[in-house]
Structures are given as C-alpha cells and as structure tokens.
Amino acid sequence: MSTSTEKLEREEKLEGIGCSRKRKEDPRFIQGKGNYVDDVKLPGTLFADIVRSPYAHARIKSINKDKALAVPGVHAVLTAADLKPLNLHWMPTLAGDVQAVLADEKVHFQYQEVAVVIADNRYIAADAVDLVEVEYEALPVLVDPHKAMDADAPILREDIKEKADDGKGAHKHPNHIFTWEVGDDEATTQAFNAADVVVTEKMYYPRVHPSPLETCGCVASFDKVKSHLTLYITSQAPHIVRTVVSLLSGIPESKVRVISPDIGGGFGNKVGVYPGYVTAIVASIVLGRPVKWIEDRMEHLSTTAWARDYHMTGALAADKEGRIKALRVNVLADHGAFNSHAQPTKWPAGLFSICTGSYDIPVAHAKVEGVYTNKAPGGVAYRCSFRVTEAVYVIERMMDILAQKLGIDKAEIRRRNFVKPEQFPYHTALGWELDSGDYPKALQKVLEAVDYDGLRREQQEKRARGELMGIGLVTFTEIVGAGPSKACDILGVGMFESAEIRVHPTGSVVARMGTLSTGQGHQTTYAQIIATELGLPSEDIQIEEGDTDTAPYGLGTYGSRSTPVGGAATAMAARKIRDKAARIAAHLLEVSADDLDWEVDRFKVKGVPGQEKTMKEVAWAAYNNVPDGMEMGLEATNYYDPPNFTYPFGAYLCVIDIDKCTGEAKVRRFYALDDCGTRINPMIIEGQIHGGLTEGFAVAMGQQMPFDEQGNLLGNTFMDYFIPTFVETPFWETDYTVTPSPHHPLGAKGVAESPHVGSIPCFTSAIVDAFSHLGVTHMDMPHNAYRVWRKIHELGLDKHE
Amino acid sequence: MTKKHISFQLNGRPVDALVEPRELLVHVIREQLGLTGTHIGCETSHCGACTIDLNGDSVKACTVLAMQADGGDVMTVEGLADNGALHPLQEAFMQEHGLQCGFCTPGMLIRAYRFLKKNPNPSDEEIRTGMSGNLCRCTGYQNIIKAVKAAAEKMQSA
Ligand code: FES
Ligand code: FES
C-alpha cells in the first residue's frame, strides 16, 4: 500500500470537511425522541393562553376578568395594568423601538395580545380566554402604508408621538419610523440624466410569513427560593434572549438559564422576543410554578414575526449596449405597529444595500423609508440575511427589464455587467467589499446544462403556436455572515460567534457553540470541521448548543451566519488546540515544533519516517506529560469577529409552462447552481438548497398576508396561507462551483438562504418571460393561478379565435 | 367535566386513560401517555405533524377525539422500531437525508408506513400524491421521496 493511499484512508476515517456524513441528530428524530419545547414537561406546569384583539385599531375601554377567574382551574388573568407595576407592560424591540407586551390602553393590530390567562391545562385556559370581557372603542384604521404620512392619517403610536427624534433621524410624521439613505444621490442623478436608456419599475414584495412547522412557545420556570429562572424557548438566539430577559426582569444573567431545545424550524421567525414569552415568565414569577405557552398556528401566522412588505421602485440607467451606469432604488417599508424587525441594530433596512447585486455599477443610491401601520409588527429575515431577499429581487428584476427594453438576451445583459473575476475584492457603489466570485463561470455552466439556446428556440416555436412558456434567469450575490462587530451589533452586542473545544485524555471531544441549529445539522457539520482541524474522528466529537449555562455567548443562527461566523470560530479554536498539541508533540519527540509536519491526524518529524505522534497520543500526554512551564489540558475558546461578510452567489434557471385557460403555472425545470465556497457537508448543503428553493417557490407562487381595509388579516390558517405540499413542489436540480472566501479560515461562505433569496426573482423572471413578447415587464407576486389568469385575460389570450 | 374511561392498543400494548369527552387524541397521547413523538403543527388537520395510525388508517390525531380511539389500535412513531431495530423507513430517512429539523418526521414516517402497506411499490408521482397530507418546511420533499422509495425497495427485497 502506498503512503498516499494510507493517508487517504486515514483522512476518510475522520469524516471531516467535504464528507457527506450522515447526521448525528437523526437517530433521535426518527424515533420520536426529539425534545421540542412542547415536549418539555415540568411538574406542576400551568398553561398560558392569550386574549387577542378582534380590532386592528381601538381603544380599550374596560377589561372584565371576573367570569374568567371564576372558572375552576384558572389561576390568574393578567393585563397591562398588572404588568405596569413591574414595568413589564412594554418591552424593547431589537430595532430600538418598544412593543406592548399586553395592550396598554389601546390595540394597534388585529390579534394583538390583550390579556393572558393562566390555568391548569390548555382546555381550561382556552375556555377562560373566551370569558374575558373586553370593551373596545374602534378607531380609524391605517392599512395602506402609502397613506401613513398623510396629514389626516390616524396617529398610531401615541406612546411615542412626542418623540420627534429617537436617534434614528427626525420624524416627518408620527407614523414615520425612519428614513435611511445610502450612496451618492447627486452622482446618481447625473448619471441618470446623461444616460442613453433609463428603465423604472414599481414592484411590491408582499408580506409573507416564515411559518416553520413548529410554532413558537416557551416554558418558564422560576424558582423562588433560588431566585433563578429557567426558560425553555423556541429561539434561534438563546443568548440574546437571556440578555433581554435579564434587562427586562432585573434578574442577573447568571440566574437566568435559557435553553433552546430542539427547534422545529425557524427561518427567521424565532429570533425576536414575543409577548407570549414575557407573559409566561411573569406568570411563573408571580405564581411560582412553571408556565407553558404554546401558540397555535393562527396566532403564529397573525402575530409572530412576518417578513418583507417592501414597496419598491427600481431604476437603472445604461448605455445602448446595456452597460449599467447607475442604479436607484426607493422603498416604502411597512413595519406594522411596532418596529420590531430583527436586523443588526444600526441597519434599519438590514443589508438592503447589497442591491447592486453581481454587477459592476459605478454609482447608486438607495433610500428606505419605514412607517407604522395597523398590522402585526415584524420585518424579519425569512430565510435570508437581513433584507437581502428584497435587494436581490429588485436588482434581478431590473436586469430583466433593462434587457427587455434593449432587446438584449437576459443572459447576455448579465454577462456584460458582471463584476469580473479579476476585479475581486470588489468595492460596490454602496459600500460593500465583495470577497470573491466567478459569476461568468457559474452562469455559463447553467446555460450549458439546460441547453439555454435550445430552450429559447422551443419558446419561439411555442409562442408562434400561441402557447405560454417562460424562462427565468437569475445571477444573484448574497451578503451573509453578519458580521464584523464594527458594522453589526444587536442591542449593543457585537455580532461575533464563539466556540469552546475540549479534547479529553482519550481523544474524544466536547465542543460548544453560541449558535443554534434549527435543522441545519450543526451537530454533524461542526464536528466535521473539528475532525479535519484536529485529526480526530467526527464520531468522537460531541457538539452542544442552546444552553446558555454551558455554551459560550453567541448571537445565534440566522442570516446564514453559522458557517461563516460560528464555523470560523470553531476552526480558530481548533487551531489554537493544534498549536498547543504541536508543542506537546515536539516535546514528546524531543525536537522543536518547527521540525514537525502536520499530516491528517498526526505530527511527523520532517525527514525522519516513523518519528511521529498522533493527535490521540498527544491528547493523552496533554494530561500527564507537557513541556516545562506549559499548562496541562487541551482546550481552547475562540470568539470570532469576522473581518468581512461573505458573499455566496449562484446562477438559477427556471422553465415554466402556463395553462392559458386556468393560469396554472407549472415549473417544468429548475436548475440551481450555488457557490458557497468550501463545502463542509455536500449532503446537508443539497438538503438546505432543496428546502430553500421550496420556500422560495412558496413565496413566489402563493404566499401573502392580505388585509382588508379594516385591518383584518384574511389569510392566517394553513387553509389560506400557501405551504406547498409534495404535489405542488417542483423537482430540483442542483449544481455548484467552488470559489472559496479568501478571509474565512475555511474558505466557507454559508448557503442555506441562497436558494430562497435567489429562486424568488427567478420564478418571477420566468412568469414575466412567458408574457414578455407581449410587452409585459413585471408582474407582482404571488403568481398564483388566479393572478396569472387575470393577466392572461387582460391580454385577451384566453379568447378563442 | 366528567371523565370517561377509554382503553386501546398503543404500539402493541394495552393502555387506559381517563379523558374528557372533548379531549383530542393527540393531547392524550402526548400528555397523558407521555409519547411526545407525535407533534402538533396546526391543529386544523392541514400539516400532518400529528399523523398516527388508527385501526389501519393514517389519521390526524389533532382532529380525532380520544374517545374515538376507544377499543382501537393505535400506532405512533414510537412503535415503528421493532425491539430497537429500526424500521426500513427510519433507516432510509437517515440515509437519504429525509429530515432536517425533524418536526414533521414522525408524521411523515407513520404516514409512509401506511402508504407503503397499501402501495408497496410506488412511483415518485404516487408518493407525491399519497404523502400530500403531510407538510414539511425544511426538506423540499425530494429526499423524503427518495427515502420512501428506498425503504419500499428494501422491504420488497426482504
Ligand atoms: S397538527 Fe394535526 S394536522 Fe397539523
Ligand atoms: S424536517 Fe423540518 S418540517 Fe420537515
């Protein structure tokens, strides 16, 4: 056997980076042994249920709890008046606003939390909720964000209307939250004035809901004797929750233990702190018993954080060849009744300024204006990195529209404007430094894989026959891995990530991270990183997350930050261990550490075959035979503050056939090529991509949260809110290129959100493409059969000759 | 509310429970009988997270009264493995990466179990239709289809 075969075999045994290792978390899930929040059963647990407002905007005239309190088994009914003495009737939001925990004198959106009932079980609690009598006086409702700043618009937030400036700039109107601008306005205007061609389009990105399969919930358990609070909670960010809970309750962080157990999906919905959590905590403190609150699906869709709701206007200026000279984007953002979007605190529109996309655009300007309306608060990153989905949507739509205007193919217009491989690191007009990319290669690979020219020919023939076929194309760039702490913080805490690794004498490892898996398989992939870095088998590496008592502080999992930031922290901590191990090995081999080479799982003395120590041997020595002056043990911690974001990218293509009679759009083919840099576990990456594409499909083709003019939410059950089943979901084809990130210790970029971000404009691109020969430039989502049929009808295509 | 005494077979063992007539089967299984593998995702029979097998049919336990199980035969995800040996479906879900957050998984498995009993050799299309009462937000279904197929093949050759 040659040495290299032997080496490869050793490497394979580790199941390290690049291996499609089966998941460590699966055995418990497939046997029904997961531990989700509703599975947590503490002795003496009471149940909380919430009384919610039927009105979108109303004054509360009175609340009568008597009948509810008379129900046997009811322990308490709490309202804002009860929380006031504790100063817990309002809570801070991640965006620097405040939100009512229980409605204080007034309700601001339908289904707002008005009172909470605590009872022996869920049935009694639900009975009592019906018996709480609330008298309302209806107020004029503000639904349309375009009217939010009208002189006669109803003022929503009486609690803050006196505040002319809350540090986010002057308020133009009491319903105005912020105006955020970036880029060079004047230069952009000049470029537009001088341009050969200008295209402008208005587009609405509907309000949608992440809707993981498990709703939100918690179990709060306050131990009066020890003044200690344990909180089991569906949170993607348990450490931040602990900080918020501590700030709110005055209980020191050392006496608050937050445990995120298994989480049934998050997708951005489980980042913030919700009133249900706070009321469960208060009730547990007041009653001295564990209190469980689990929302139902309707409550989930109606009140916990939704995403998007951006009214966007995009404009591109270009020359006759389609080379872009400038980009301008204006956005009106509907934030609902409280500004509780989850973005890094300094970024009221998140990372929206990535809207220059994959293109070399000399000047740009973007402006986002946020307003209050009588709708639930939110604006979270639904499987995306802080408003990146909206940004990618607007630029990709505008690229298509520019192509159409100039009669240039949409692949060609992209090629002409790409940031070229040799231009990296590339500084965008709106301030980002794109780390690495090879956009032309990705695009070319996709076009060849699907025979793009053949598809265009087929489309020509179909058009001649009067059939509707659309080809969608997108070449997106994301910005993920928030983020450098100088740019990003949440409530003042920098957005670093952490890892703590311990190697035991026998070479087995326990590692803890500040992130939290909500299905991404961290227990599997972090172990692979450590396996490669330390040369110890994945199988012997135990990963733990989600318990603030044991895990180091971390900002959590969202915005594809686990691999870019948490993965980097893991690699760096492992490298510290390897450095120490090298010194121990040198000591054992009686050479200097410089004389050693690292090979897969061992240190070898350069040029002396057979003189070597495996990491396992070194681990043992670390506990009994270290060089003079060295501390015993083999462990390390790293808090990783990334130098930059990472910029995954991809090229997606979609073929859609539309039935002219029904408007039904069938996805015939979807080809997704992703480049997320170094690939840690290809099987998991592919799974993440399938899931992201399916969620993208859901958003593009059917999801929306419509309101009537009274602010009634018209779609808040799984009957109305579109979740694709096995039947609607298309078959996905995936592909990849690898362009490592130069600044990430492993070259990895993060992937789980790309397919969501990238696929949504691709579906729209395909739908519009089916009608583009008829002069259609844009159609708003969702592209459900009825809305597509309306376009068909409007164009007279359903008339029989 | 007066409670009623019900008895049924749960994963091959007789169980008894005192239940209110309005109590849902899913709550009795999860809270009284302590088997929390069966999940609740919607309580309106849309998501299938609560799917169990009742008298040889897949049913959504969030819309069945516990009383309706009286005298019946119930199987949940906890009953799939045979004396610690995983069911071919469980193996296949793991091999084909048919799960992510795992919340839909028990319902998926128990539905697939009944589906394969009725159609032991399904096509992809048949799996899509046969499993369409179960939602998954994570996987995009593709690997679940692969897993069901792989399990079917294994069970046929066994
Ligand atoms: S919980 Fe029963 S179908 Fe969703
Ligand atoms: S694996 Fe998360 S819902 Fe299916």
Side-chain angles (χ1 to χ4, degrees), chain A residues 585-597:
Chain A
H587 163 73
L588 297 175
L589 292 162
E590 297 179 350
V591 293
S592 118
D594 298 339
D595 296 330
L596 296 176
D597 277 332

Side-chain angles (χ1 to χ4, degrees), chain A residues 213 264-265 267, chain B residues 98-105 108 135-139 144:
Chain A
L213 201 59
F267 316 122
Chain B
L99 63 149
Q100 290 179 22
C101 78
F103 201 76
C104 70
T105 311
M108 288 285 177
L135 300 177
C136 174
R137 291 292 286 143
C138 301
T139 64
I144 299 182

Side-chain angles (χ1 to χ4, degrees), chain A residues 22-23 26-27 29-33 36 38-39 41 122-124 127 210-215 263-265 267 296-297 382 518-519 683-684 687-688 690-691 694-695 703 718-719 723-727 729-732, chain B residues 22-24 27 30-32 36-37 39-43 46-47 49 77-78 81 86 90 93-95 97 99-106 108-109 127-129 131-132 134-135 137-145:
Chain A
K22 302 297 172 227
R23 300 200 328 161
D26 289 357
F29 293 147
I30 54 171
Q31 297 182 75
K33 297 280 187 263
Y36 301 90
D38 200 11
D39 304 340
K41 205 173 176 182
R122 4 182 151 231
Y123 290 80
I124 300 174
D127 288 344
S211 218
L213 201 59
E214 175 202 41
T215 59
I263 305 285
F267 316 122
D296 66 25
R297 181 59 53 181
Y382 171 7
T518 55
M683 175 192 83
I684 288 183
Q688 291 294 315
H690 288 170
T694 305
E695 289 194 345
Q703 294 191 333
F718 276 169
M719 185 71 122
I723 304 286
T725 72
F726 276 92
V727 173
T729 304
F731 179 80
W732 310 115
Chain B
R22 65 174 179 172
E23 255 179 284
L24 298 171
H27 289 142
R30 287 177 50 81
E31 281 159 27
Q32 271 200 55
T36 53
H39 296 150
I40 302 173
C42 67
E43 296 176 298
H46 288 99
C47 78
V77 68
E78 288 91 345
L86 293 181
Q90 291 172 309
F93 267 61
M94 201 149 70
Q95 286 303 320
H97 189 28
L99 63 149
Q100 290 179 22
C101 78
F103 201 76
C104 70
T105 311
M108 288 285 177
L109 286 166
I127 296 173
R128 283 192 189 264
T129 324
M131 301 279 300
S132 63
N134 289 65
L135 300 177
R137 291 292 286 143
C138 301
T139 64
Y141 305 109
Q142 206 153 307
N143 289 344
I144 299 182
I145 297 168

